[in-house]
Amino acid sequence: MPATAGHSKPVGSMELGDHLCLFFDSEAERRSVMATYVRDGVRAGHKVIYISDAVPGRDVAAWLGSRADAGPDTVRPQEDDGFDFAAALDAGHFVVRTAEETFLASGRFDPDESLELMATEIDLALVQGYPGVRIAGEARFSLRRWPGTERHGDFERMLDQVFMTTDLKAMAICQFDRRWFDEARLAELEAGHMGRVRADDHYDDGALRITPTFAPPGAALAGVLDAATSPAAEKVLASVASTAGLLCLDLGGLTRCDEAGLRLLADADLPGLGANRGLLLRGAAPELAGRLRESGLLARSGVAVVERTG
């Protein structure tokens, strides 16, 4: 079912009818979400329309398929499976437009004209036989003081109303860089969307969820880490840990951790990866933090535990 207000939805679970916002802190996070969105769309037979701004239009396919944003501490995104974005672009299933040609066709940004243009693009794709359309737009253009861009918030609210009241065979993600938009502006823009989108979870069995984090690189654990969930968690964490020199595990969402879970966390630093290895366990409840210290984990070089506050 479509997303609801205040909800954060994994990008791989998006459905036709969703109009979501992506608030990101790093290019690695944005690329992870957008690569999954485009890849899944092409594989589902959808027409994918990407409106670029921060990334030059000619470079979008290469950016999605590369790890150019990845430093030595970057966790490799799950979607790095060899998907050929350039081939999808050449085949016409994936189309890139610039923000300027999309939103300034008349010389100024006009919400009504922009909505009409999107409707035309969607209708054309459906006529071409695509069962659905995926739209992704970079929103940094709205900060450039182009004529009419002061109405960008109006445009998002109008677009959201169309998605909520019309049985659209389309979905959309609007991208907002937290480093450029202040919190008040982000709150206003979020109100013009059904909810937020995030990177797909590494793992979720209903008892334990492991979600990728990007700033810093690592994973967030939520739920129960015990004898039942530890075997699956061990496989996930080994895969995540092997791609990053410095790894952060956010434990703030853990509600219970038994001895099996404690042993898993105590071994999460993988010292065999070398001297540059580092592990930060943050957000641990005081009781869990005490047990981690008692395990002798902190005696190892490069390991730190930060307790949850409040």
Side-chain angles (χ1 to χ4, degrees), residues 108-109 142 146-154 185:
R108 64 179 294 108
F109 177 70
S142 64
W146 287 344
T149 51
E150 69 277 1
R151 295 193 62 200
H152 181 242
D154 295 336
R185 181 64 171 154

Side-chain angles (χ1 to χ4, degrees), residues 210 213 216-221 237 240 247-252 264-265 268-269 279-284:
I210 304 176
T213 60
L221 285 68
L237 294 183
V240 170
L247 180 69
C248 174
L249 297 183
D250 191 323
L251 310 181
L264 174 61
L265 294 176
D269 62 320
L279 174 66
L280 171 64
L281 300 176
R282 73 176 184 186

Side-chain angles (χ1 to χ4, degrees), residues 50-100:
Y50 191 99
I51 303 169
S52 70
D53 183 37
V55 179
R58 65 183 180 279
D59 298 334
V60 169
W63 170 69
L64 289 171
S66 76
R67 296 188 65 232
D69 54 290
D73 292 331
T74 299
V75 174
R76 182 175 294 112
Q78 295 169 291
E79 76 281 350
D80 282 353
D81 60 358
F83 180 80
D84 195 333
F85 293 94
L89 192 66
D90 291 341
H93 306 310
F94 171 36
V95 176
V96 177
R97 308 258 194 267
T98 67
E100 188 170 0

Side-chain angles (χ1 to χ4, degrees), residues 142-221:
S142 64
L143 299 175
R144 287 205 171 94
R145 297 178 64 85
W146 287 344
T149 51
E150 69 277 1
R151 295 193 62 200
H152 181 242
D154 295 336
F155 167 72
E156 294 290 2
R157 288 187 291 273
M158 292 163 64
L159 183 61
D160 202 52
Q161 188 65 22
V162 171
F163 270 89
M164 288 192 295
T165 60
T166 309
D167 185 22
L168 280 183
K169 300 299 182 183
M171 64 178 77
I173 295 178
C174 303
Q175 306 167 54
F176 302 98
D177 190 333
R178 288 183 181 275
R179 296 165 296 185
W180 286 90
F181 293 85
D182 62 36
E183 288 302 317
R185 181 64 171 154
L186 288 174
E188 176 190 354
L189 291 165
E190 183 174 11
H193 295 79
M194 297 174 182
R196 299 189 190 186
V197 64
R198 57 182 170 83
D200 283 344
D201 298 322
H202 288 303
Y203 177 79
D204 187 355
D205 67 354
L208 175 69
R209 184 175 73 245
I210 304 176
T211 303
T213 60
F214 299 89
L221 285 68

Side-chain angles (χ1 to χ4, degrees), residues 51 98-110 113-115 117-118 137-139 141 146-147 149 152 155:
I51 303 169
T98 67
E100 188 170 0
E101 68 182 320
T102 302
F103 296 121
L104 286 181
S106 64
R108 64 179 294 108
F109 177 70
D110 184 291
E113 288 182 0
S114 296
L115 287 176
L117 178 61
M118 286 193 176
E138 299 177 11
F141 78 91
W146 287 344
T149 51
H152 181 242
F155 167 72

